[in-house]
PDB file of all heavy atoms in Angstrom:
ATOM      1  N   VAL A 492      87.358 118.612  86.954  1.00  0.00           N
ATOM      2  CA  VAL A 492      87.026 119.568  88.020  1.00  0.00           C
ATOM      3  C   VAL A 492      88.189 120.460  88.408  1.00  0.00           C
ATOM      4  O   VAL A 492      88.000 121.441  89.145  1.00  0.00           O
ATOM      5  CB  VAL A 492      86.538 118.823  89.283  1.00  0.00           C
ATOM      6  CG1 VAL A 492      85.326 117.981  88.990  1.00  0.00           C
ATOM      7  CG2 VAL A 492      87.672 117.958  89.882  1.00  0.00           C
ATOM      8  N   VAL A 493      89.391 120.150  87.937  1.00  0.00           N
ATOM      9  CA  VAL A 493      90.571 120.919  88.341  1.00  0.00           C
ATOM     10  C   VAL A 493      90.693 122.164  87.449  1.00  0.00           C
ATOM     11  O   VAL A 493      90.917 122.055  86.251  1.00  0.00           O
ATOM     12  CB  VAL A 493      91.833 120.052  88.250  1.00  0.00           C
ATOM     13  CG1 VAL A 493      93.074 120.861  88.630  1.00  0.00           C
ATOM     14  CG2 VAL A 493      91.722 118.811  89.142  1.00  0.00           C
ATOM     15  N   LYS A 494      90.575 123.322  88.078  1.00  0.00           N
ATOM     16  CA  LYS A 494      90.623 124.588  87.378  1.00  0.00           C
ATOM     17  C   LYS A 494      91.892 125.369  87.739  1.00  0.00           C
ATOM     18  O   LYS A 494      92.577 125.018  88.722  1.00  0.00           O
ATOM     19  CB  LYS A 494      89.382 125.438  87.728  1.00  0.00           C
ATOM     20  CG  LYS A 494      88.060 124.707  87.601  1.00  0.00           C
ATOM     21  CD  LYS A 494      87.814 124.203  86.177  1.00  0.00           C
ATOM     22  CE  LYS A 494      86.464 123.529  86.073  1.00  0.00           C
ATOM     23  NZ  LYS A 494      86.227 122.959  84.711  1.00  0.00           N
ATOM     24  N   ASP A 495      92.158 126.414  86.997  1.00  0.00           N
ATOM     25  CA  ASP A 495      93.322 127.257  87.315  1.00  0.00           C
ATOM     26  C   ASP A 495      93.257 127.818  88.723  1.00  0.00           C
ATOM     27  O   ASP A 495      94.301 128.057  89.337  1.00  0.00           O
ATOM     28  CB  ASP A 495      93.434 128.390  86.299  1.00  0.00           C
ATOM     29  CG  ASP A 495      93.864 127.914  84.911  1.00  0.00           C
ATOM     30  OD1 ASP A 495      94.376 126.783  84.806  1.00  0.00           O
ATOM     31  OD2 ASP A 495      93.672 128.682  83.941  1.00  0.00           O
ATOM     32  N   SER A 496      92.050 128.006  89.231  1.00  0.00           N
ATOM     33  CA  SER A 496      91.880 128.574  90.561  1.00  0.00           C
ATOM     34  C   SER A 496      92.403 127.653  91.677  1.00  0.00           C
ATOM     35  O   SER A 496      92.566 128.088  92.818  1.00  0.00           O
ATOM     36  CB  SER A 496      90.413 128.889  90.826  1.00  0.00           C
ATOM     37  OG  SER A 496      89.612 127.720  90.705  1.00  0.00           O
ATOM     38  N   TRP A 497      92.664 126.397  91.352  1.00  0.00           N
ATOM     39  CA  TRP A 497      93.234 125.477  92.353  1.00  0.00           C
ATOM     40  C   TRP A 497      94.676 125.856  92.711  1.00  0.00           C
ATOM     41  O   TRP A 497      95.181 125.424  93.749  1.00  0.00           O
ATOM     42  CB  TRP A 497      93.222 124.049  91.796  1.00  0.00           C
ATOM     43  CG  TRP A 497      91.895 123.360  91.874  1.00  0.00           C
ATOM     44  CD1 TRP A 497      90.693 123.844  91.478  1.00  0.00           C
ATOM     45  CD2 TRP A 497      91.672 122.042  92.367  1.00  0.00           C
ATOM     46  NE1 TRP A 497      89.714 122.903  91.686  1.00  0.00           N
ATOM     47  CE2 TRP A 497      90.267 121.773  92.219  1.00  0.00           C
ATOM     48  CE3 TRP A 497      92.476 121.040  92.900  1.00  0.00           C
ATOM     49  CZ2 TRP A 497      89.697 120.575  92.602  1.00  0.00           C
ATOM     50  CZ3 TRP A 497      91.905 119.841  93.287  1.00  0.00           C
ATOM     51  CH2 TRP A 497      90.531 119.592  93.136  1.00  0.00           C
ATOM     52  N   PHE A 498      95.298 126.614  91.853  1.00  0.00           N
ATOM     53  CA  PHE A 498      96.729 126.894  92.008  1.00  0.00           C
ATOM     54  C   PHE A 498      96.948 128.369  92.341  1.00  0.00           C
ATOM     55  O   PHE A 498      96.214 129.229  91.890  1.00  0.00           O
ATOM     56  CB  PHE A 498      97.454 126.529  90.727  1.00  0.00           C
ATOM     57  CG  PHE A 498      97.157 125.113  90.263  1.00  0.00           C
ATOM     58  CD1 PHE A 498      96.194 124.896  89.286  1.00  0.00           C
ATOM     59  CD2 PHE A 498      97.800 124.036  90.822  1.00  0.00           C
ATOM     60  CE1 PHE A 498      95.874 123.615  88.881  1.00  0.00           C
ATOM     61  CE2 PHE A 498      97.489 122.741  90.396  1.00  0.00           C
ATOM     62  CZ  PHE A 498      96.515 122.519  89.436  1.00  0.00           C
ATOM     63  N   PRO A 499      97.969 128.646  93.162  1.00  0.00           N
ATOM     64  CA  PRO A 499      98.993 127.748  93.702  1.00  0.00           C
ATOM     65  C   PRO A 499      98.616 127.084  95.019  1.00  0.00           C
ATOM     66  O   PRO A 499      99.473 126.383  95.613  1.00  0.00           O
ATOM     67  CB  PRO A 499     100.181 128.684  93.895  1.00  0.00           C
ATOM     68  CG  PRO A 499      99.542 129.977  94.307  1.00  0.00           C
ATOM     69  CD  PRO A 499      98.272 130.071  93.490  1.00  0.00           C
ATOM     70  N   GLU A 500      97.382 127.278  95.506  1.00  0.00           N
ATOM     71  CA  GLU A 500      97.054 126.736  96.840  1.00  0.00           C
ATOM     72  C   GLU A 500      97.207 125.234  96.907  1.00  0.00           C
ATOM     73  O   GLU A 500      97.737 124.704  97.901  1.00  0.00           O
ATOM     74  CB  GLU A 500      95.632 127.142  97.220  1.00  0.00           C
ATOM     75  CG  GLU A 500      95.255 126.804  98.634  1.00  0.00           C
ATOM     76  CD  GLU A 500      96.107 127.490  99.697  1.00  0.00           C
ATOM     77  OE1 GLU A 500      96.682 128.575  99.420  1.00  0.00           O
ATOM     78  OE2 GLU A 500      96.227 126.933 100.805  1.00  0.00           O
ATOM     79  N   PHE A 501      96.765 124.505  95.888  1.00  0.00           N
ATOM     80  CA  PHE A 501      96.933 123.056  95.939  1.00  0.00           C
ATOM     81  C   PHE A 501      98.411 122.678  95.993  1.00  0.00           C
ATOM     82  O   PHE A 501      98.778 121.717  96.687  1.00  0.00           O
ATOM     83  CB  PHE A 501      96.279 122.385  94.723  1.00  0.00           C
ATOM     84  CG  PHE A 501      96.516 120.910  94.694  1.00  0.00           C
ATOM     85  CD1 PHE A 501      95.842 120.042  95.543  1.00  0.00           C
ATOM     86  CD2 PHE A 501      97.481 120.353  93.834  1.00  0.00           C
ATOM     87  CE1 PHE A 501      96.084 118.678  95.541  1.00  0.00           C
ATOM     88  CE2 PHE A 501      97.724 118.994  93.827  1.00  0.00           C
ATOM     89  CZ  PHE A 501      97.040 118.154  94.682  1.00  0.00           C
ATOM     90  N   ASP A 502      99.238 123.397  95.284  1.00  0.00           N
ATOM     91  CA  ASP A 502     100.673 123.079  95.265  1.00  0.00           C
ATOM     92  C   ASP A 502     101.296 123.190  96.650  1.00  0.00           C
ATOM     93  O   ASP A 502     102.300 122.524  96.926  1.00  0.00           O
ATOM     94  CB  ASP A 502     101.415 124.007  94.301  1.00  0.00           C
ATOM     95  CG  ASP A 502     101.070 123.735  92.851  1.00  0.00           C
ATOM     96  OD1 ASP A 502     100.678 122.586  92.543  1.00  0.00           O
ATOM     97  OD2 ASP A 502     101.146 124.666  92.032  1.00  0.00           O
ATOM     98  N   ARG A 503     100.704 123.973  97.512  1.00  0.00           N
ATOM     99  CA  ARG A 503     101.222 124.071  98.888  1.00  0.00           C
ATOM    100  C   ARG A 503     101.014 122.767  99.622  1.00  0.00           C
ATOM    101  O   ARG A 503     101.845 122.385 100.476  1.00  0.00           O
ATOM    102  CB  ARG A 503     100.535 125.222  99.613  1.00  0.00           C
ATOM    103  CG  ARG A 503     100.764 126.605  99.000  1.00  0.00           C
ATOM    104  CD  ARG A 503     100.059 127.680  99.781  1.00  0.00           C
ATOM    105  NE  ARG A 503     100.617 127.829 101.129  1.00  0.00           N
ATOM    106  CZ  ARG A 503      99.968 128.413 102.144  1.00  0.00           C
ATOM    107  NH1 ARG A 503      98.718 128.841 101.962  1.00  0.00           N
ATOM    108  NH2 ARG A 503     100.543 128.491 103.322  1.00  0.00           N
ATOM    109  N   ARG A 504      99.964 122.022  99.345  1.00  0.00           N
ATOM    110  CA  ARG A 504      99.781 120.693  99.958  1.00  0.00           C
ATOM    111  C   ARG A 504     100.834 119.731  99.433  1.00  0.00           C
ATOM    112  O   ARG A 504     101.339 118.912 100.197  1.00  0.00           O
ATOM    113  CB  ARG A 504      98.386 120.140  99.653  1.00  0.00           C
ATOM    114  CG  ARG A 504      97.297 120.514 100.660  1.00  0.00           C
ATOM    115  CD  ARG A 504      96.930 121.939 100.591  1.00  0.00           C
ATOM    116  NE  ARG A 504      95.800 122.277 101.482  1.00  0.00           N
ATOM    117  CZ  ARG A 504      95.308 123.495 101.602  1.00  0.00           C
ATOM    118  NH1 ARG A 504      95.825 124.497 100.891  1.00  0.00           N
ATOM    119  NH2 ARG A 504      94.324 123.753 102.436  1.00  0.00           N
ATOM    120  N   ARG A 505     101.150 119.841  98.175  1.00  0.00           N
ATOM    121  CA  ARG A 505     102.213 118.979  97.622  1.00  0.00           C
ATOM    122  C   ARG A 505     103.536 119.222  98.317  1.00  0.00           C
ATOM    123  O   ARG A 505     104.213 118.267  98.725  1.00  0.00           O
ATOM    124  CB  ARG A 505     102.373 119.250  96.135  1.00  0.00           C
ATOM    125  CG  ARG A 505     101.210 118.844  95.266  1.00  0.00           C
ATOM    126  CD  ARG A 505     101.433 119.267  93.815  1.00  0.00           C
ATOM    127  NE  ARG A 505     102.795 118.994  93.396  1.00  0.00           N
ATOM    128  CZ  ARG A 505     103.601 119.896  92.805  1.00  0.00           C
ATOM    129  NH1 ARG A 505     103.162 121.133  92.580  1.00  0.00           N
ATOM    130  NH2 ARG A 505     104.817 119.561  92.482  1.00  0.00           N
ATOM    131  N   GLU A 506     103.890 120.458  98.488  1.00  0.00           N
ATOM    132  CA  GLU A 506     105.145 120.786  99.138  1.00  0.00           C
ATOM    133  C   GLU A 506     105.116 120.362 100.592  1.00  0.00           C
ATOM    134  O   GLU A 506     106.130 119.886 101.139  1.00  0.00           O
ATOM    135  CB  GLU A 506     105.431 122.284  99.039  1.00  0.00           C
ATOM    136  CG  GLU A 506     106.779 122.701  99.676  1.00  0.00           C
ATOM    137  CD  GLU A 506     107.958 121.904  99.144  1.00  0.00           C
ATOM    138  OE1 GLU A 506     108.001 121.583  97.939  1.00  0.00           O
ATOM    139  OE2 GLU A 506     108.847 121.577  99.954  1.00  0.00           O
ATOM    140  N   ALA A 507     103.968 120.498 101.259  1.00  0.00           N
ATOM    141  CA  ALA A 507     103.845 120.071 102.642  1.00  0.00           C
ATOM    142  C   ALA A 507     104.057 118.560 102.757  1.00  0.00           C
ATOM    143  O   ALA A 507     104.721 118.094 103.688  1.00  0.00           O
ATOM    144  CB  ALA A 507     102.480 120.461 103.201  1.00  0.00           C
ATOM    145  N   ALA A 508     103.505 117.775 101.817  1.00  0.00           N
ATOM    146  CA  ALA A 508     103.688 116.336 101.843  1.00  0.00           C
ATOM    147  C   ALA A 508     105.164 115.979 101.679  1.00  0.00           C
ATOM    148  O   ALA A 508     105.669 115.069 102.354  1.00  0.00           O
ATOM    149  CB  ALA A 508     102.854 115.687 100.735  1.00  0.00           C
ATOM    150  N   ARG A 509     105.848 116.699 100.817  1.00  0.00           N
ATOM    151  CA  ARG A 509     107.282 116.456 100.622  1.00  0.00           C
ATOM    152  C   ARG A 509     108.044 116.712 101.919  1.00  0.00           C
ATOM    153  O   ARG A 509     108.930 115.943 102.298  1.00  0.00           O
ATOM    154  CB  ARG A 509     107.829 117.331  99.500  1.00  0.00           C
ATOM    155  CG  ARG A 509     109.311 117.110  99.197  1.00  0.00           C
ATOM    156  CD  ARG A 509     109.796 118.095  98.126  1.00  0.00           C
ATOM    157  NE  ARG A 509     109.154 117.845  96.847  1.00  0.00           N
ATOM    158  CZ  ARG A 509     109.593 116.988  95.941  1.00  0.00           C
ATOM    159  NH1 ARG A 509     110.676 116.266  96.191  1.00  0.00           N
ATOM    160  NH2 ARG A 509     108.964 116.831  94.803  1.00  0.00           N
ATOM    161  N   GLN A 510     107.693 117.779 102.621  1.00  0.00           N
ATOM    162  CA  GLN A 510     108.374 118.132 103.857  1.00  0.00           C
ATOM    163  C   GLN A 510     108.058 117.097 104.950  1.00  0.00           C
ATOM    164  O   GLN A 510     108.944 116.697 105.704  1.00  0.00           O
ATOM    165  CB  GLN A 510     107.950 119.520 104.345  1.00  0.00           C
ATOM    166  CG  GLN A 510     108.647 119.974 105.610  1.00  0.00           C
ATOM    167  CD  GLN A 510     110.125 120.087 105.464  1.00  0.00           C
ATOM    168  OE1 GLN A 510     110.656 120.393 104.400  1.00  0.00           O
ATOM    169  NE2 GLN A 510     110.859 119.827 106.559  1.00  0.00           N
ATOM    170  N   VAL A 511     106.812 116.646 105.012  1.00  0.00           N
ATOM    171  CA  VAL A 511     106.436 115.608 105.967  1.00  0.00           C
ATOM    172  C   VAL A 511     107.247 114.349 105.710  1.00  0.00           C
ATOM    173  O   VAL A 511     107.767 113.716 106.654  1.00  0.00           O
ATOM    174  CB  VAL A 511     104.927 115.328 105.894  1.00  0.00           C
ATOM    175  CG1 VAL A 511     104.583 114.031 106.634  1.00  0.00           C
ATOM    176  CG2 VAL A 511     104.134 116.484 106.453  1.00  0.00           C
ATOM    177  N   ALA A 512     107.372 113.973 104.453  1.00  0.00           N
ATOM    178  CA  ALA A 512     108.157 112.789 104.104  1.00  0.00           C
ATOM    179  C   ALA A 512     109.609 112.935 104.520  1.00  0.00           C
ATOM    180  O   ALA A 512     110.226 112.014 105.075  1.00  0.00           O
ATOM    181  CB  ALA A 512     108.054 112.520 102.616  1.00  0.00           C
ATOM    182  N   ARG A 513     110.161 114.102 104.261  1.00  0.00           N
ATOM    183  CA  ARG A 513     111.563 114.358 104.610  1.00  0.00           C
ATOM    184  C   ARG A 513     111.787 114.206 106.114  1.00  0.00           C
ATOM    185  O   ARG A 513     112.720 113.549 106.552  1.00  0.00           O
ATOM    186  CB  ARG A 513     111.965 115.739 104.124  1.00  0.00           C
ATOM    187  CG  ARG A 513     113.422 116.080 104.348  1.00  0.00           C
ATOM    188  CD  ARG A 513     113.743 117.477 103.865  1.00  0.00           C
ATOM    189  NE  ARG A 513     113.436 117.653 102.442  1.00  0.00           N
ATOM    190  CZ  ARG A 513     112.512 118.486 101.977  1.00  0.00           C
ATOM    191  NH1 ARG A 513     111.806 119.226 102.796  1.00  0.00           N
ATOM    192  NH2 ARG A 513     112.309 118.567 100.681  1.00  0.00           N
ATOM    193  N   GLU A 514     110.897 114.801 106.907  1.00  0.00           N
ATOM    194  CA  GLU A 514     111.055 114.783 108.337  1.00  0.00           C
ATOM    195  C   GLU A 514     110.835 113.380 108.927  1.00  0.00           C
ATOM    196  O   GLU A 514     111.445 113.023 109.947  1.00  0.00           O
ATOM    197  CB  GLU A 514     110.094 115.769 108.997  1.00  0.00           C
ATOM    198  CG  GLU A 514     110.426 117.234 108.663  1.00  0.00           C
ATOM    199  CD  GLU A 514     109.408 118.197 109.219  1.00  0.00           C
ATOM    200  OE1 GLU A 514     108.394 117.740 109.756  1.00  0.00           O
ATOM    201  OE2 GLU A 514     109.633 119.425 109.080  1.00  0.00           O
ATOM    202  N   ALA A 515     109.988 112.588 108.276  1.00  0.00           N
ATOM    203  CA  ALA A 515     109.703 111.243 108.746  1.00  0.00           C
ATOM    204  C   ALA A 515     110.666 110.208 108.158  1.00  0.00           C
ATOM    205  O   ALA A 515     110.549 109.021 108.453  1.00  0.00           O
ATOM    206  CB  ALA A 515     108.271 110.849 108.413  1.00  0.00           C
ATOM    207  N   GLU A 516     111.606 110.650 107.328  1.00  0.00           N
ATOM    208  CA  GLU A 516     112.565 109.765 106.664  1.00  0.00           C
ATOM    209  C   GLU A 516     111.801 108.723 105.833  1.00  0.00           C
ATOM    210  O   GLU A 516     112.145 107.527 105.824  1.00  0.00           O
ATOM    211  CB  GLU A 516     113.491 109.110 107.678  1.00  0.00           C
ATOM    212  CG  GLU A 516     114.348 110.124 108.434  1.00  0.00           C
ATOM    213  CD  GLU A 516     115.326 109.438 109.386  1.00  0.00           C
ATOM    214  OE1 GLU A 516     115.097 108.258 109.764  1.00  0.00           O
ATOM    215  OE2 GLU A 516     116.340 110.073 109.753  1.00  0.00           O
ATOM    216  N   ALA A 517     110.801 109.198 105.136  1.00  0.00           N
ATOM    217  CA  ALA A 517     109.978 108.345 104.296  1.00  0.00           C
ATOM    218  C   ALA A 517     110.478 108.384 102.854  1.00  0.00           C
ATOM    219  O   ALA A 517     111.034 109.391 102.397  1.00  0.00           O
ATOM    220  CB  ALA A 517     108.518 108.809 104.339  1.00  0.00           C
ATOM    221  N   ALA A 518     110.213 107.304 102.124  1.00  0.00           N
ATOM    222  CA  ALA A 518     110.395 107.341 100.690  1.00  0.00           C
ATOM    223  C   ALA A 518     109.314 108.253 100.116  1.00  0.00           C
ATOM    224  O   ALA A 518     108.134 108.138 100.505  1.00  0.00           O
ATOM    225  CB  ALA A 518     110.259 105.935 100.103  1.00  0.00           C
ATOM    226  N   PHE A 519     109.698 109.148  99.225  1.00  0.00           N
ATOM    227  CA  PHE A 519     108.734 110.106  98.655  1.00  0.00           C
ATOM    228  C   PHE A 519     108.583 109.838  97.175  1.00  0.00           C
ATOM    229  O   PHE A 519     109.569 109.792  96.427  1.00  0.00           O
ATOM    230  CB  PHE A 519     109.228 111.540  98.878  1.00  0.00           C
ATOM    231  CG  PHE A 519     108.277 112.589  98.360  1.00  0.00           C
ATOM    232  CD1 PHE A 519     107.092 112.860  99.031  1.00  0.00           C
ATOM    233  CD2 PHE A 519     108.570 113.277  97.211  1.00  0.00           C
ATOM    234  CE1 PHE A 519     106.223 113.827  98.558  1.00  0.00           C
ATOM    235  CE2 PHE A 519     107.709 114.256  96.711  1.00  0.00           C
ATOM    236  CZ  PHE A 519     106.531 114.525  97.390  1.00  0.00           C
ATOM    237  N   LEU A 520     107.357 109.657  96.724  1.00  0.00           N
ATOM    238  CA  LEU A 520     107.087 109.382  95.316  1.00  0.00           C
ATOM    239  C   LEU A 520     106.475 110.611  94.668  1.00  0.00           C
ATOM    240  O   LEU A 520     105.328 110.974  94.985  1.00  0.00           O
ATOM    241  CB  LEU A 520     106.143 108.189  95.173  1.00  0.00           C
ATOM    242  CG  LEU A 520     106.807 106.793  95.145  1.00  0.00           C
ATOM    243  CD1 LEU A 520     107.611 106.544  96.413  1.00  0.00           C
ATOM    244  CD2 LEU A 520     105.762 105.700  94.939  1.00  0.00           C
ATOM    245  N   PRO A 521     107.202 111.290  93.772  1.00  0.00           N
ATOM    246  CA  PRO A 521     106.734 112.545  93.168  1.00  0.00           C
ATOM    247  C   PRO A 521     105.717 112.310  92.060  1.00  0.00           C
ATOM    248  O   PRO A 521     106.021 112.411  90.867  1.00  0.00           O
ATOM    249  CB  PRO A 521     108.032 113.147  92.638  1.00  0.00           C
ATOM    250  CG  PRO A 521     108.870 111.964  92.271  1.00  0.00           C
ATOM    251  CD  PRO A 521     108.535 110.916  93.324  1.00  0.00           C
ATOM    252  N   LEU A 522     104.473 112.057  92.448  1.00  0.00           N
ATOM    253  CA  LEU A 522     103.460 111.711  91.466  1.00  0.00           C
ATOM    254  C   LEU A 522     103.106 112.885  90.554  1.00  0.00           C
ATOM    255  O   LEU A 522     102.784 112.672  89.372  1.00  0.00           O
ATOM    256  CB  LEU A 522     102.198 111.217  92.149  1.00  0.00           C
ATOM    257  CG  LEU A 522     102.335 109.911  92.968  1.00  0.00           C
ATOM    258  CD1 LEU A 522     100.973 109.479  93.464  1.00  0.00           C
ATOM    259  CD2 LEU A 522     102.986 108.825  92.131  1.00  0.00           C
TER     260      LEU A 522
END
């Protein structure tokens, strides 16, 4: 189901998760 049209919008959620982890001092797993 994942098409080229998913990007770059989906990647913005990935970056947001990374930032949330950083601010919460969480371990971040780059899946």
Side-chain angles (χ1 to χ4, degrees):
V492 301
V493 178
K494 310 300 182 184
D495 289 343
S496 59
W497 281 48
F498 308 97
E500 187 61 26
F501 175 76
D502 291 333
R503 298 180 65 201
R504 270 71 175 179
R505 292 176 42 232
E506 182 53 38
R509 182 184 294 273
Q510 182 62 32
V511 167
R513 184 181 301 116
E514 293 176 355
E516 297 183 339
F519 182 74
L520 274 58
L522 297 186

